[in-house]
Amino acid sequence: MAPPKSQPTPPGALVIFGAGGDLTKRLIIPALYNLMRAKLLSDRFVLVGVGHSEQDEDAWKKGLHDFLEGVVKKGGAEFEAAKIDEAVWDKLSKTMSFMSGGDVSKPATYDKLKEHLKKRQAETNFEDNIIFYLAIADSLFQTTIDELGKADMLKEDKGFRRIIIEKPFGHDLPSAKALNKDILKSAREEQIYRIDHFLGKETVQNIMALRFANGLFEPLWNRDRIDHVQITVAESIGIERRGKFYEATGALRDMVPNHLFQLLAMTAMEPPVSFEAEDVRAKKAEVFKAIHPLAPEDAVRGQYAAGMVDGAVVAGYRHEQDVAPESTVETYVAMRVMIDNWRWAGVPFYLRTGKRMSARSTEIAIRFKKAPYSLFRDTPTDELSADWMILHIQPDEGISLKFNAKRPGPAVVLEGVAMDFRYADWFKQASAVGYETLIYDCLTGDATLFQRADQIEAAWAVVQPVLDNWANRDPSGFPNYTAGSAGPGAADALIARDRRSWRPVR
Ligand code: BG6
């Protein structure tokens, strides 16, 4: 885990490939704005946008400014003030320059970029520390890294050279392995920062604090005390305008080996010997390696039909833009995962994620074993309710404990009660969008929250049998859940096999 973020980053340049794209304007620039506002960027920070288009620099900056203004006005959780702080923007804007016509597949682009960086280096001595941020389509990752290598731009003669890669990292195990192997021809593993934006979320990082900074929970965190774990990433949004991407990806690839598995790893990992990146990442990789091979019946899929979400009628997946009318792509996945190690043997982890579910809710719910027998069998409550610990990741970040208490009064009547802790109440501060942490960490060289090659491959290896199985078998009965519901009946059946049921999605 990163040390307290109180010092500005070392001098450095951030080169964004894909500077005219969505990711840059929606997440990277707002994150840099927040870092600038918090005075966490070096005064020798330089931002170079490389865009494919022939846009001019002023128009690029204005576009980013106006977009940021809109986001700030809307008051996303990441912004405390309702208005853009123009002085901060001016400072950030002064660090920014734009290089147009930057086709990443052309060697000439890199010559031009070198010249551009040389000029920027002369104006602002960023000590030759450069991060290349690949905010581009994944099909271009390999070419870009190859070209950077050929242009000698990844050699760390004076400063550091790092590469940030967005997901998707491969689309299955063989492609992820091939990409990792190819990258190593141009860069060292330590130079690669693979982003999973879930790891930038404050509450996800807090799982480690909860587990390893408290003596209270860790002794309970094992097969002796825990009955099972449910990890839910429910989304009420559909696929938005990403039909093309989604048709090629589906819910499993989009969410499971990356986001859900990160939550799984944080929950299930052994305590690392330190918070050094390599120690933490090794423990996470061990979790994936210990997952029992998945059988066909361990995973189910679903696809949404038309329905009602947040009071509005929404179309079914097959009627979304750029989606085939008979598409068999899944928008929902549920799976049962067993971890073959001493801590977790026999404790199922149930994972589910889906689009167009009844609510947006990401949580990790830990169900504790019941008291060994009920002393209270003569009370009006025939069954003790179960004890749960729920880590609410989003939207309302917090931790709840649910346990049994006696209802006040002369009769002994038991009732399930809850103790709720909400980050927003306690810290009175909105959480950040997440990219601040990740960009800051990359600039400071802390790779803890980034994925290492072996982790990525181990995670793909777990889901590969499911991908293979699904590729060979058409799903029957798609669409099989209504938009605005909790998912398909098949998911209920999956957990019911073990005589358990899902927590409601709300
Ligand atoms: C992205 C997926 O990685 O994560 C999207 O491609 C998904 O499909 C998103 O909606 C969820 O992230 P968040 O931060 O909105 O929960």
Side-chain angles (χ1 to χ4, degrees):
M1 199 181 287
K5 300 182 190 327
S6 52
Q7 298 298 317
T9 59
L14 180 66
V15 176
I16 307 176
F17 292 105
D22 227 39
L23 182 71
T24 303
K25 92 181 161 198
R26 279 194 312 113
L27 291 162
I28 305 176
I29 295 296
L32 288 170
Y33 167 83
N34 277 348
L35 285 173
M36 184 61 95
R37 206 157 59 117
K39 301 191 172 51
L40 287 175
L41 286 179
S42 162
D43 51 15
R44 286 186 282 146
F45 171 75
V46 162
L47 176 61
V48 176
V50 178
H52 203 169
S53 67
E54 283 304 334
Q55 208 177 21
D56 83 9
E57 188 170 295
D58 289 341
W60 175 64
K61 286 189 186 177
K62 182 162 184 326
L64 295 174
H65 172 271
D66 294 352
F67 191 86
L68 181 67
E69 199 162 45
V71 181
V72 172
K73 255 195 212 129
K74 252 206 262 154
E78 61 270 33
F79 298 99
E80 286 148 40
K83 262 179 78 188
I84 200 167
D85 184 334
E86 293 296 342
V88 173
W89 171 261
D90 277 353
K91 260 180 109 176
L92 181 64
S93 170
K94 286 200 179 92
T95 71
M96 291 159 66
S97 61
F98 187 67
M99 194 188 109
S100 63
D103 181 341
V104 292
S105 62
K106 297 225 166 81
T109 298
Y110 300 86
D111 295 336
K112 199 166 146 195
L113 180 58
K114 272 193 202 163
E115 284 309 308
H116 192 103
L117 284 166
K118 214 191 247 168
K119 227 175 78 207
R120 299 295 318 266
Q121 167 75 40
E123 290 158 11
T124 307
N125 176 13
F126 55 79
E127 296 184 3
D128 224 30
N129 292 328
I130 306 178
I131 296 176
F132 299 102
Y133 197 132
L134 309 194
I136 48 180
D138 59 315
S139 54
L140 296 169
F141 290 168
Q142 188 52 52
T143 316
T144 310
I145 296 172
D146 281 353
E147 292 299 334
L148 282 168
K150 281 193 228 149
D152 253 0
M153 296 179 83
L154 297 175
K155 282 223 183 91
E156 298 186 299
D157 295 334
K158 291 189 220 132
F160 62 70
R161 299 294 162 100
R162 297 179 185 141
I163 302 170
I164 300 184
I165 308 185
E166 280 286 335
K167 77 175 251 285
F169 196 90
H171 59 270
D172 55 12
L173 179 59
S175 60
K177 274 188 169 166
L179 185 54
N180 278 329
K181 199 165 153 214
D182 274 354
I183 288 175
L184 292 182
K185 290 182 194 149
S186 311
R188 288 176 302 113
E189 173 61 27
E190 295 70 35
Q191 291 177 274
I192 311 297
Y193 286 66
R194 298 174 191 79
I195 280 198
D196 183 312
H197 81 274
F198 262 49
L199 290 178
K201 292 182 194 286
E202 198 69 47
T203 26
V204 175
Q205 293 171 46
N206 259 312
I207 300 171
M208 285 221 267
L210 173 85
R211 289 192 53 199
F212 304 133
N214 296 298
L216 179 59
F217 306 117
E218 199 50 24
L220 308 178
W221 217 259
N222 57 52
R223 66 173 196 271
D224 295 335
R225 294 283 169 257
I226 293 179
D227 176 71
H228 75 279
V229 177
Q230 295 187 17
I231 300 182
T232 302
V233 181
E235 296 188 279
S236 54
I237 54 167
I239 54 156
E240 302 186 293
R241 288 178 309 282
R242 301 196 303 156
K244 272 198 192 109
F245 162 81
Y246 212 80
E247 280 282 274
T249 311
L252 176 58
R253 289 186 167 91
D254 189 33
M255 300 294 288
V256 178
N258 30 64
H259 305 329
L260 272 91
F261 274 18
Q262 285 304 325
L263 301 181
L264 173 70
M266 289 285 204
T267 312
M269 69 194 266
E270 292 300 316
V273 287
S274 82
F275 283 130
E276 291 298 317
E278 295 321 310
D279 293 332
V280 173
R281 299 196 297 180
K283 291 296 175 202
K284 285 190 184 173
E286 276 175 18
V287 172
F288 303 145
K289 287 178 190 154
I291 292 179
H292 193 82
L294 294 176
E297 62 275 15
D298 291 330
V300 299
R301 52 186 155 163
Q303 188 193 73
Y304 61 84
M308 292 274 284
V309 175
D310 295 331
V313 176
V314 299
Y317 176 69
R318 289 177 175 178
H319 292 96
E320 301 274 15
Q321 194 185 326
D322 296 323
V323 170
E326 298 295 314
S327 174
T328 55
V329 168
E330 81 285 354
T331 59
Y332 178 101
V333 189
M335 48 173 67
R336 175 184 185 271
V337 166
M338 301 298 291
I339 301 175
D340 291 338
N341 64 19
W342 277 65
R343 184 187 287 267
W344 295 118
V347 180
F349 284 71
Y350 300 99
L351 275 49
R352 62 179 162 165
T353 181
K355 299 278 186 201
R356 285 288 188 228
M357 293 177 65
S358 47
R360 175 173 188 244
S361 166
T362 299
E363 62 167 42
I364 300 168
I366 292 136
R367 157 104 190 236
F368 291 93
K369 289 190 171 163
K370 285 192 179 169
Y373 71 99
S374 179
L375 271 176
F376 295 95
R377 52 183 162 259
D378 297 332
T379 68
T381 324
D382 32 350
E383 227 196 312
L384 293 182
S385 58
D387 298 344
W388 287 92
M389 177 183 225
I390 298 136
L391 314 181
H392 303 278
I393 309 292
Q394 58 191 20
D396 292 321
E397 298 146 329
I399 298 170
S400 310
L401 267 180
K402 296 195 189 303
F403 51 92
N404 289 289
K406 177 186 162 296
R407 189 186 289 165
V412 179
V413 179
L414 295 176
E415 193 169 313
V417 296
M419 240 159 65
D420 288 318
F421 157 72
R422 293 186 65 228
Y423 283 91
D425 293 342
W426 185 267
F427 294 108
K428 310 271 180 253
Q429 192 187 341
S431 308
V433 63
Y435 273 67
E436 295 86 351
T437 317
L438 297 170
I439 294 172
Y440 179 93
D441 285 0
C442 186
L443 278 160
T444 51
D446 181 349
T448 313
L449 297 177
F450 295 84
Q451 304 220 70
R452 215 168 53 183
D454 60 333
Q455 259 177 283
I456 296 257
E457 291 176 17
W460 276 118
V462 173
V463 299
Q464 192 61 48
V466 181
L467 288 171
D468 293 341
N469 179 35
W470 288 359
N472 296 329
R473 254 187 341 129
D474 264 355
S476 54
F478 265 18
N480 61 353
Y481 71 99
T482 313
S485 71
D492 297 332
L494 171 100
I495 193 166
R497 259 186 7 224
D498 297 342
R499 296 176 186 281
R500 297 187 175 100
S501 56
W502 294 107
R503 285 171 42 76
V505 175
R506 53 174 169 237

